[in-house]
Amino acid sequence: MTSEEQRTDAASRTPAVLVVHGPNLNLLGEREPEVYGRTTLRDIDAALAALGRELGLAVETFQSNSEGAIVDRIQAARGRIDALIINPAAYTHTSVAIRDVILAIGAPCIEVHLSNVYKREPMRHHSTIADIVVGRIMGFGADGYLIALRAARNLAGAAGGAERK
Ligand code: DQA
């Protein structure tokens, strides 16, 4: 492929975004609805897929209650995604492994929380990834993911797409 063809190829391919949901977010809709709202994870993922189609993004979503599975999934996306959106849930406050894998893959990352963690217990005020993400969106409930996807679209556009490895 000539360099001109490579440029055209990169410009024409659909930017990819991975959305990762951490532990207990599979229970959204039932779990502490006064804190997290009544929208289910299935509804959030469907809304992300629909907005992704509108924005011209390939959106993959993944939920796990296990730190290692989250690390494995993000590693598998290395070189294949243009942006990462993550709500690490409780691992936000503890996980060095998730911080390290975000640094390892090098894709721009947006941190999302349904609740405004600063209105809650002090243990939730610390995030192991706050200083390595592009930005943090919190306190808007399920809408926060859609705000993040719009931001991810702009990041993917600004970067001209990831160089897939
Ligand atoms: C959360 C906030 C975390 O403190 C908590 O452990 C969660 C969800 C949020 O989306 O507001 O599980 O990340």
Side-chain angles (χ1 to χ4, degrees):
M1 214 188 263
T2 66
S3 57
E4 181 52 40
E5 282 168 339
Q6 275 170 351
R7 265 196 298 282
T8 311
D9 187 49
S12 60
R13 94 180 151 60
T14 304
V17 178
L18 174 64
V19 183
V20 174
H21 308 286
N24 300 307
L25 295 177
N26 53 315
L27 299 180
L28 283 178
E30 297 164 31
R31 171 194 181 207
E32 297 179 84
E34 65 291 353
V35 177
Y36 298 115
R38 298 219 173 259
T39 310
T40 64
L41 190 62
R42 180 192 282 244
D43 289 342
I44 289 172
D45 286 348
L48 283 166
L51 183 61
R53 282 191 291 276
E54 197 183 299
L55 298 176
L57 297 171
V59 178
E60 290 171 55
T61 58
F62 176 76
Q63 190 277 332
S64 178
N65 294 328
S66 150
E67 187 177 25
I70 292 170
V71 170
D72 285 343
R73 183 65 190 83
I74 296 173
Q75 276 194 17
R78 184 161 172 253
R80 297 196 309 107
I81 55 169
D82 299 278
L84 172 68
I85 295 171
I86 186 165
N87 181 350
Y91 291 137
T92 305
H93 317 301
T94 60
S95 180
V96 176
I98 291 175
R99 176 189 173 90
D100 284 351
V101 77
I102 292 170
L103 288 170
I105 68 159
C109 179
I110 301 169
E111 179 180 348
V112 171
H113 299 284
L114 295 125
S115 64
N116 179 348
V117 292
Y118 294 106
K119 288 179 157 180
R120 304 182 64 196
E121 310 96 301
M123 69 178 181
R124 296 184 201 276
H125 296 184
H126 175 68
S127 160
T128 64
I129 64 171
D131 62 317
I132 61 161
V133 295
V134 178
R136 309 174 75 204
I137 297 166
M138 65 179 75
F140 296 100
D143 283 350
Y145 288 99
L146 303 180
I147 296 167
L149 194 61
R150 290 185 187 279
R153 174 68 193 94
N154 295 340
L155 292 175
E163 277 194 27
R164 309 254 163 139
K165 286 170 194 142

